PDB file of all heavy atoms in Angstrom:
ATOM      1  N   LEU T 560     -27.282  15.543  -9.302  1.00  0.00           N
ATOM      2  CA  LEU T 560     -26.046  15.250  -9.986  1.00  0.00           C
ATOM      3  C   LEU T 560     -24.869  15.856  -9.136  1.00  0.00           C
ATOM      4  O   LEU T 560     -25.031  16.649  -8.367  1.00  0.00           O
ATOM      5  CB  LEU T 560     -25.942  15.676 -11.380  1.00  0.00           C
ATOM      6  CG  LEU T 560     -26.074  17.157 -11.662  1.00  0.00           C
ATOM      7  CD1 LEU T 560     -24.697  17.881 -11.552  1.00  0.00           C
ATOM      8  CD2 LEU T 560     -26.627  17.384 -13.104  1.00  0.00           C
ATOM      9  N   GLU T 561     -23.712  15.211  -9.440  1.00  0.00           N
ATOM     10  CA  GLU T 561     -22.443  15.824  -8.824  1.00  0.00           C
ATOM     11  C   GLU T 561     -21.425  15.892  -9.981  1.00  0.00           C
ATOM     12  O   GLU T 561     -21.392  15.130 -10.859  1.00  0.00           O
ATOM     13  CB  GLU T 561     -21.942  14.996  -7.667  1.00  0.00           C
ATOM     14  CG  GLU T 561     -21.435  13.594  -8.033  1.00  0.00           C
ATOM     15  CD  GLU T 561     -20.999  12.829  -6.753  1.00  0.00           C
ATOM     16  OE1 GLU T 561     -21.137  13.337  -5.643  1.00  0.00           O
ATOM     17  OE2 GLU T 561     -20.611  11.661  -6.940  1.00  0.00           O
ATOM     18  N   MET T 562     -20.518  16.874  -9.825  1.00  0.00           N
ATOM     19  CA  MET T 562     -19.485  17.073 -10.815  1.00  0.00           C
ATOM     20  C   MET T 562     -18.141  17.042 -10.105  1.00  0.00           C
ATOM     21  O   MET T 562     -18.004  17.625  -9.011  1.00  0.00           O
ATOM     22  CB  MET T 562     -19.706  18.407 -11.534  1.00  0.00           C
ATOM     23  CG  MET T 562     -18.789  18.631 -12.708  1.00  0.00           C
ATOM     24  SD  MET T 562     -19.321  19.927 -13.842  1.00  0.00           S
ATOM     25  CE  MET T 562     -19.397  21.330 -12.719  1.00  0.00           C
ATOM     26  N   LEU T 563     -17.216  16.323 -10.638  1.00  0.00           N
ATOM     27  CA  LEU T 563     -15.832  16.212 -10.093  1.00  0.00           C
ATOM     28  C   LEU T 563     -14.789  16.625 -11.014  1.00  0.00           C
ATOM     29  O   LEU T 563     -14.848  16.403 -12.193  1.00  0.00           O
ATOM     30  CB  LEU T 563     -15.617  14.718  -9.618  1.00  0.00           C
ATOM     31  CG  LEU T 563     -16.590  14.000  -8.722  1.00  0.00           C
ATOM     32  CD1 LEU T 563     -16.230  12.479  -8.657  1.00  0.00           C
ATOM     33  CD2 LEU T 563     -16.424  14.562  -7.306  1.00  0.00           C
ATOM     34  N   HIS T 564     -13.759  17.168 -10.417  1.00  0.00           N
ATOM     35  CA  HIS T 564     -12.461  17.412 -11.120  1.00  0.00           C
ATOM     36  C   HIS T 564     -11.465  16.348 -10.587  1.00  0.00           C
ATOM     37  O   HIS T 564     -11.155  16.369  -9.409  1.00  0.00           O
ATOM     38  CB  HIS T 564     -11.992  18.833 -10.773  1.00  0.00           C
ATOM     39  CG  HIS T 564     -10.657  19.248 -11.289  1.00  0.00           C
ATOM     40  ND1 HIS T 564      -9.477  18.770 -10.781  1.00  0.00           N
ATOM     41  CD2 HIS T 564     -10.333  20.119 -12.321  1.00  0.00           C
ATOM     42  CE1 HIS T 564      -8.422  19.336 -11.480  1.00  0.00           C
ATOM     43  NE2 HIS T 564      -8.956  20.100 -12.404  1.00  0.00           N
ATOM     44  N   SER T 565     -11.089  15.463 -11.488  1.00  0.00           N
ATOM     45  CA  SER T 565     -10.148  14.321 -11.062  1.00  0.00           C
ATOM     46  C   SER T 565      -8.793  14.531 -11.799  1.00  0.00           C
ATOM     47  O   SER T 565      -8.703  14.714 -12.962  1.00  0.00           O
ATOM     48  CB  SER T 565     -10.783  13.023 -11.455  1.00  0.00           C
ATOM     49  OG  SER T 565     -11.999  12.794 -10.898  1.00  0.00           O
ATOM     50  N   ARG T 566      -7.706  14.435 -10.935  1.00  0.00           N
ATOM     51  CA  ARG T 566      -6.383  14.523 -11.449  1.00  0.00           C
ATOM     52  C   ARG T 566      -5.665  13.195 -11.215  1.00  0.00           C
ATOM     53  O   ARG T 566      -5.599  12.649 -10.085  1.00  0.00           O
ATOM     54  CB  ARG T 566      -5.605  15.661 -10.679  1.00  0.00           C
ATOM     55  CG  ARG T 566      -4.189  15.842 -11.242  1.00  0.00           C
ATOM     56  CD  ARG T 566      -3.504  16.966 -10.628  1.00  0.00           C
ATOM     57  NE  ARG T 566      -4.175  18.203 -10.897  1.00  0.00           N
ATOM     58  CZ  ARG T 566      -3.969  18.950 -12.049  1.00  0.00           C
ATOM     59  NH1 ARG T 566      -3.112  18.529 -12.922  1.00  0.00           N
ATOM     60  NH2 ARG T 566      -4.605  20.052 -12.203  1.00  0.00           N
ATOM     61  N   PHE T 567      -5.149  12.616 -12.308  1.00  0.00           N
ATOM     62  CA  PHE T 567      -4.433  11.297 -12.287  1.00  0.00           C
ATOM     63  C   PHE T 567      -3.023  11.555 -12.717  1.00  0.00           C
ATOM     64  O   PHE T 567      -2.743  11.888 -13.868  1.00  0.00           O
ATOM     65  CB  PHE T 567      -5.102  10.308 -13.309  1.00  0.00           C
ATOM     66  CG  PHE T 567      -6.452   9.853 -12.936  1.00  0.00           C
ATOM     67  CD1 PHE T 567      -7.560  10.635 -13.175  1.00  0.00           C
ATOM     68  CD2 PHE T 567      -6.663   8.525 -12.354  1.00  0.00           C
ATOM     69  CE1 PHE T 567      -8.806  10.183 -12.844  1.00  0.00           C
ATOM     70  CE2 PHE T 567      -7.903   8.114 -12.028  1.00  0.00           C
ATOM     71  CZ  PHE T 567      -9.017   8.909 -12.287  1.00  0.00           C
ATOM     72  N   PRO T 568      -2.083  11.412 -11.749  1.00  0.00           N
ATOM     73  CA  PRO T 568      -0.630  11.428 -12.165  1.00  0.00           C
ATOM     74  C   PRO T 568      -0.266  10.346 -13.218  1.00  0.00           C
ATOM     75  O   PRO T 568      -1.051   9.396 -13.326  1.00  0.00           O
ATOM     76  CB  PRO T 568       0.096  11.174 -10.870  1.00  0.00           C
ATOM     77  CG  PRO T 568      -0.922  11.591  -9.768  1.00  0.00           C
ATOM     78  CD  PRO T 568      -2.242  11.153 -10.322  1.00  0.00           C
ATOM     79  N   PRO T 569       0.797  10.471 -13.959  1.00  0.00           N
ATOM     80  CA  PRO T 569       1.173   9.531 -14.891  1.00  0.00           C
ATOM     81  C   PRO T 569       1.221   8.098 -14.363  1.00  0.00           C
ATOM     82  O   PRO T 569       1.757   7.876 -13.258  1.00  0.00           O
ATOM     83  CB  PRO T 569       2.606   9.999 -15.371  1.00  0.00           C
ATOM     84  CG  PRO T 569       2.584  11.435 -15.127  1.00  0.00           C
ATOM     85  CD  PRO T 569       1.751  11.656 -13.840  1.00  0.00           C
ATOM     86  N   GLY T 570       0.610   7.123 -15.167  1.00  0.00           N
ATOM     87  CA  GLY T 570       0.714   5.721 -14.669  1.00  0.00           C
ATOM     88  C   GLY T 570      -0.185   5.305 -13.565  1.00  0.00           C
ATOM     89  O   GLY T 570      -0.014   4.214 -13.087  1.00  0.00           O
ATOM     90  N   THR T 571      -1.113   6.172 -13.182  1.00  0.00           N
ATOM     91  CA  THR T 571      -2.055   5.768 -12.024  1.00  0.00           C
ATOM     92  C   THR T 571      -3.384   5.274 -12.635  1.00  0.00           C
ATOM     93  O   THR T 571      -3.840   5.717 -13.577  1.00  0.00           O
ATOM     94  CB  THR T 571      -2.282   6.981 -11.139  1.00  0.00           C
ATOM     95  OG1 THR T 571      -2.790   8.081 -11.865  1.00  0.00           O
ATOM     96  CG2 THR T 571      -1.031   7.416 -10.379  1.00  0.00           C
ATOM     97  N   TYR T 572      -3.816   4.199 -11.940  1.00  0.00           N
ATOM     98  CA  TYR T 572      -5.075   3.535 -12.363  1.00  0.00           C
ATOM     99  C   TYR T 572      -5.882   3.181 -11.228  1.00  0.00           C
ATOM    100  O   TYR T 572      -5.394   2.923 -10.045  1.00  0.00           O
ATOM    101  CB  TYR T 572      -4.732   2.182 -13.113  1.00  0.00           C
ATOM    102  CG  TYR T 572      -4.184   2.440 -14.500  1.00  0.00           C
ATOM    103  CD1 TYR T 572      -2.855   2.724 -14.753  1.00  0.00           C
ATOM    104  CD2 TYR T 572      -5.095   2.349 -15.573  1.00  0.00           C
ATOM    105  CE1 TYR T 572      -2.336   2.937 -16.047  1.00  0.00           C
ATOM    106  CE2 TYR T 572      -4.562   2.624 -16.926  1.00  0.00           C
ATOM    107  CZ  TYR T 572      -3.220   2.880 -17.108  1.00  0.00           C
ATOM    108  OH  TYR T 572      -2.753   3.080 -18.321  1.00  0.00           O
ATOM    109  N   SER T 573      -7.246   3.111 -11.388  1.00  0.00           N
ATOM    110  CA  SER T 573      -8.065   2.336 -10.434  1.00  0.00           C
ATOM    111  C   SER T 573      -7.980   0.900 -10.857  1.00  0.00           C
ATOM    112  O   SER T 573      -8.429   0.534 -11.892  1.00  0.00           O
ATOM    113  CB  SER T 573      -9.552   2.895 -10.527  1.00  0.00           C
ATOM    114  OG  SER T 573     -10.108   2.537 -11.772  1.00  0.00           O
ATOM    115  N   GLN T 574      -7.262   0.090  -9.968  1.00  0.00           N
ATOM    116  CA  GLN T 574      -6.911  -1.236 -10.413  1.00  0.00           C
ATOM    117  C   GLN T 574      -7.992  -2.194 -10.540  1.00  0.00           C
ATOM    118  O   GLN T 574      -8.018  -3.016 -11.483  1.00  0.00           O
ATOM    119  CB  GLN T 574      -5.833  -1.714  -9.439  1.00  0.00           C
ATOM    120  CG  GLN T 574      -4.546  -1.044  -9.327  1.00  0.00           C
ATOM    121  CD  GLN T 574      -3.769  -0.994 -10.622  1.00  0.00           C
ATOM    122  OE1 GLN T 574      -3.923  -1.836 -11.434  1.00  0.00           O
ATOM    123  NE2 GLN T 574      -3.013   0.053 -10.815  1.00  0.00           N
ATOM    124  N   GLU T 575      -9.087  -2.091  -9.687  1.00  0.00           N
ATOM    125  CA  GLU T 575     -10.140  -2.982  -9.744  1.00  0.00           C
ATOM    126  C   GLU T 575     -11.399  -2.315 -10.349  1.00  0.00           C
ATOM    127  O   GLU T 575     -11.622  -1.162 -10.123  1.00  0.00           O
ATOM    128  CB  GLU T 575     -10.514  -3.515  -8.387  1.00  0.00           C
ATOM    129  CG  GLU T 575      -9.376  -4.057  -7.509  1.00  0.00           C
ATOM    130  CD  GLU T 575      -8.830  -2.965  -6.498  1.00  0.00           C
ATOM    131  OE1 GLU T 575      -9.633  -2.154  -6.024  1.00  0.00           O
ATOM    132  OE2 GLU T 575      -7.658  -2.907  -6.325  1.00  0.00           O
ATOM    133  N   SER T 576     -12.149  -3.089 -11.137  1.00  0.00           N
ATOM    134  CA  SER T 576     -13.390  -2.564 -11.607  1.00  0.00           C
ATOM    135  C   SER T 576     -14.437  -2.488 -10.496  1.00  0.00           C
ATOM    136  O   SER T 576     -14.325  -3.299  -9.577  1.00  0.00           O
ATOM    137  CB  SER T 576     -13.936  -3.521 -12.741  1.00  0.00           C
ATOM    138  OG  SER T 576     -13.100  -3.461 -13.884  1.00  0.00           O
ATOM    139  N   TYR T 577     -15.373  -1.577 -10.622  1.00  0.00           N
ATOM    140  CA  TYR T 577     -16.383  -1.533  -9.628  1.00  0.00           C
ATOM    141  C   TYR T 577     -17.637  -0.997 -10.289  1.00  0.00           C
ATOM    142  O   TYR T 577     -17.614  -0.477 -11.418  1.00  0.00           O
ATOM    143  CB  TYR T 577     -15.995  -0.617  -8.418  1.00  0.00           C
ATOM    144  CG  TYR T 577     -15.765   0.798  -8.748  1.00  0.00           C
ATOM    145  CD1 TYR T 577     -16.676   1.744  -8.382  1.00  0.00           C
ATOM    146  CD2 TYR T 577     -14.556   1.167  -9.365  1.00  0.00           C
ATOM    147  CE1 TYR T 577     -16.360   3.127  -8.670  1.00  0.00           C
ATOM    148  CE2 TYR T 577     -14.290   2.539  -9.644  1.00  0.00           C
ATOM    149  CZ  TYR T 577     -15.261   3.517  -9.317  1.00  0.00           C
ATOM    150  OH  TYR T 577     -14.956   4.783  -9.548  1.00  0.00           O
ATOM    151  N   SER T 578     -18.797  -1.082  -9.702  1.00  0.00           N
ATOM    152  CA  SER T 578     -20.088  -0.629 -10.306  1.00  0.00           C
ATOM    153  C   SER T 578     -20.874  -0.070  -9.138  1.00  0.00           C
ATOM    154  O   SER T 578     -20.769  -0.335  -7.961  1.00  0.00           O
ATOM    155  CB  SER T 578     -20.757  -1.764 -10.989  1.00  0.00           C
ATOM    156  OG  SER T 578     -21.012  -2.820 -10.110  1.00  0.00           O
ATOM    157  N   HIS T 579     -21.875   0.769  -9.598  1.00  0.00           N
ATOM    158  CA  HIS T 579     -22.814   1.406  -8.618  1.00  0.00           C
ATOM    159  C   HIS T 579     -24.035   1.887  -9.413  1.00  0.00           C
ATOM    160  O   HIS T 579     -24.083   1.848 -10.609  1.00  0.00           O
ATOM    161  CB  HIS T 579     -22.189   2.494  -7.787  1.00  0.00           C
ATOM    162  CG  HIS T 579     -21.430   3.456  -8.615  1.00  0.00           C
ATOM    163  ND1 HIS T 579     -22.022   4.708  -9.076  1.00  0.00           N
ATOM    164  CD2 HIS T 579     -20.213   3.532  -9.207  1.00  0.00           C
ATOM    165  CE1 HIS T 579     -21.230   5.368  -9.783  1.00  0.00           C
ATOM    166  NE2 HIS T 579     -20.035   4.720  -9.862  1.00  0.00           N
ATOM    167  N   GLU T 580     -25.036   2.372  -8.713  1.00  0.00           N
ATOM    168  CA  GLU T 580     -26.185   2.904  -9.354  1.00  0.00           C
ATOM    169  C   GLU T 580     -25.935   4.157 -10.092  1.00  0.00           C
ATOM    170  O   GLU T 580     -25.009   4.941  -9.726  1.00  0.00           O
ATOM    171  CB  GLU T 580     -27.268   3.202  -8.297  1.00  0.00           C
ATOM    172  CG  GLU T 580     -27.824   2.008  -7.551  1.00  0.00           C
ATOM    173  CD  GLU T 580     -28.554   1.067  -8.524  1.00  0.00           C
ATOM    174  OE1 GLU T 580     -29.321   1.559  -9.447  1.00  0.00           O
ATOM    175  OE2 GLU T 580     -28.344  -0.219  -8.340  1.00  0.00           O
ATOM    176  N   GLY T 581     -26.689   4.439 -11.152  1.00  0.00           N
ATOM    177  CA  GLY T 581     -26.637   5.763 -11.795  1.00  0.00           C
ATOM    178  C   GLY T 581     -25.942   5.654 -13.190  1.00  0.00           C
ATOM    179  O   GLY T 581     -25.684   4.619 -13.782  1.00  0.00           O
ATOM    180  N   GLU T 582     -25.633   6.868 -13.687  1.00  0.00           N
ATOM    181  CA  GLU T 582     -24.935   7.102 -14.865  1.00  0.00           C
ATOM    182  C   GLU T 582     -23.810   8.068 -14.684  1.00  0.00           C
ATOM    183  O   GLU T 582     -23.878   8.862 -13.761  1.00  0.00           O
ATOM    184  CB  GLU T 582     -25.881   7.627 -16.059  1.00  0.00           C
ATOM    185  CG  GLU T 582     -26.996   6.662 -16.340  1.00  0.00           C
ATOM    186  CD  GLU T 582     -27.939   7.201 -17.447  1.00  0.00           C
ATOM    187  OE1 GLU T 582     -27.537   8.241 -18.050  1.00  0.00           O
ATOM    188  OE2 GLU T 582     -28.965   6.699 -17.598  1.00  0.00           O
ATOM    189  N   GLU T 583     -22.777   8.007 -15.557  1.00  0.00           N
ATOM    190  CA  GLU T 583     -21.770   9.032 -15.412  1.00  0.00           C
ATOM    191  C   GLU T 583     -21.182   9.424 -16.790  1.00  0.00           C
ATOM    192  O   GLU T 583     -21.336   8.604 -17.775  1.00  0.00           O
ATOM    193  CB  GLU T 583     -20.568   8.541 -14.531  1.00  0.00           C
ATOM    194  CG  GLU T 583     -20.031   7.213 -14.817  1.00  0.00           C
ATOM    195  CD  GLU T 583     -19.279   6.724 -13.548  1.00  0.00           C
ATOM    196  OE1 GLU T 583     -18.131   7.199 -13.318  1.00  0.00           O
ATOM    197  OE2 GLU T 583     -19.754   5.881 -12.827  1.00  0.00           O
ATOM    198  N   ALA T 584     -20.623  10.549 -16.944  1.00  0.00           N
ATOM    199  CA  ALA T 584     -20.009  11.071 -18.184  1.00  0.00           C
ATOM    200  C   ALA T 584     -18.782  11.794 -17.798  1.00  0.00           C
ATOM    201  O   ALA T 584     -18.639  12.264 -16.656  1.00  0.00           O
ATOM    202  CB  ALA T 584     -21.033  11.980 -18.877  1.00  0.00           C
ATOM    203  N   GLY T 585     -17.849  11.846 -18.737  1.00  0.00           N
ATOM    204  CA  GLY T 585     -16.602  12.602 -18.429  1.00  0.00           C
ATOM    205  C   GLY T 585     -16.017  13.319 -19.718  1.00  0.00           C
ATOM    206  O   GLY T 585     -16.429  12.977 -20.817  1.00  0.00           O
ATOM    207  N   TYR T 586     -15.213  14.346 -19.389  1.00  0.00           N
ATOM    208  CA  TYR T 586     -14.561  15.128 -20.421  1.00  0.00           C
ATOM    209  C   TYR T 586     -13.051  15.153 -20.069  1.00  0.00           C
ATOM    210  O   TYR T 586     -12.730  15.526 -18.959  1.00  0.00           O
ATOM    211  CB  TYR T 586     -15.159  16.468 -20.533  1.00  0.00           C
ATOM    212  CG  TYR T 586     -14.473  17.423 -21.434  1.00  0.00           C
ATOM    213  CD1 TYR T 586     -14.610  17.318 -22.877  1.00  0.00           C
ATOM    214  CD2 TYR T 586     -13.567  18.387 -20.961  1.00  0.00           C
ATOM    215  CE1 TYR T 586     -14.069  18.188 -23.742  1.00  0.00           C
ATOM    216  CE2 TYR T 586     -12.889  19.246 -21.805  1.00  0.00           C
ATOM    217  CZ  TYR T 586     -13.149  19.124 -23.238  1.00  0.00           C
ATOM    218  OH  TYR T 586     -12.541  19.986 -24.059  1.00  0.00           O
ATOM    219  N   VAL T 587     -12.207  14.794 -20.963  1.00  0.00           N
ATOM    220  CA  VAL T 587     -10.786  14.766 -20.806  1.00  0.00           C
ATOM    221  C   VAL T 587     -10.306  16.165 -21.046  1.00  0.00           C
ATOM    222  O   VAL T 587     -10.174  16.600 -22.210  1.00  0.00           O
ATOM    223  CB  VAL T 587     -10.071  13.752 -21.658  1.00  0.00           C
ATOM    224  CG1 VAL T 587      -8.577  13.792 -21.292  1.00  0.00           C
ATOM    225  CG2 VAL T 587     -10.647  12.294 -21.416  1.00  0.00           C
ATOM    226  N   LEU T 588      -9.937  16.865 -19.935  1.00  0.00           N
ATOM    227  CA  LEU T 588      -9.543  18.264 -20.093  1.00  0.00           C
ATOM    228  C   LEU T 588      -8.029  18.302 -20.568  1.00  0.00           C
ATOM    229  O   LEU T 588      -7.739  19.189 -21.394  1.00  0.00           O
ATOM    230  CB  LEU T 588      -9.560  18.890 -18.706  1.00  0.00           C
ATOM    231  CG  LEU T 588      -9.728  20.407 -18.623  1.00  0.00           C
ATOM    232  CD1 LEU T 588     -10.935  20.995 -19.337  1.00  0.00           C
ATOM    233  CD2 LEU T 588      -9.772  20.841 -17.086  1.00  0.00           C
ATOM    234  N   CYS T 589      -7.175  17.367 -20.096  1.00  0.00           N
ATOM    235  CA  CYS T 589      -5.867  17.314 -20.618  1.00  0.00           C
ATOM    236  C   CYS T 589      -5.244  15.932 -20.294  1.00  0.00           C
ATOM    237  O   CYS T 589      -5.695  15.299 -19.428  1.00  0.00           O
ATOM    238  CB  CYS T 589      -4.932  18.457 -20.089  1.00  0.00           C
ATOM    239  SG  CYS T 589      -4.801  18.368 -18.292  1.00  0.00           S
ATOM    240  N   GLY T 590      -4.262  15.627 -21.155  1.00  0.00           N
ATOM    241  CA  GLY T 590      -3.536  14.266 -20.930  1.00  0.00           C
ATOM    242  C   GLY T 590      -4.278  13.192 -21.703  1.00  0.00           C
ATOM    243  O   GLY T 590      -5.135  13.389 -22.553  1.00  0.00           O
TER     244      GLY T 590
END
Side-chain angles (χ1 to χ4, degrees):
L560 61 84
E561 68 184 358
M562 188 163 60
L563 300 171
H564 175 285
S565 299
R566 181 176 297 276
F567 292 77
T571 55
Y572 285 83
S573 62
Q574 297 297 335
E575 312 97 33
S576 293
Y577 64 105
S578 59
H579 50 95
E580 294 296 320
E582 297 181 13
E583 52 198 283
Y586 174 80
V587 182
L588 205 58
C589 62

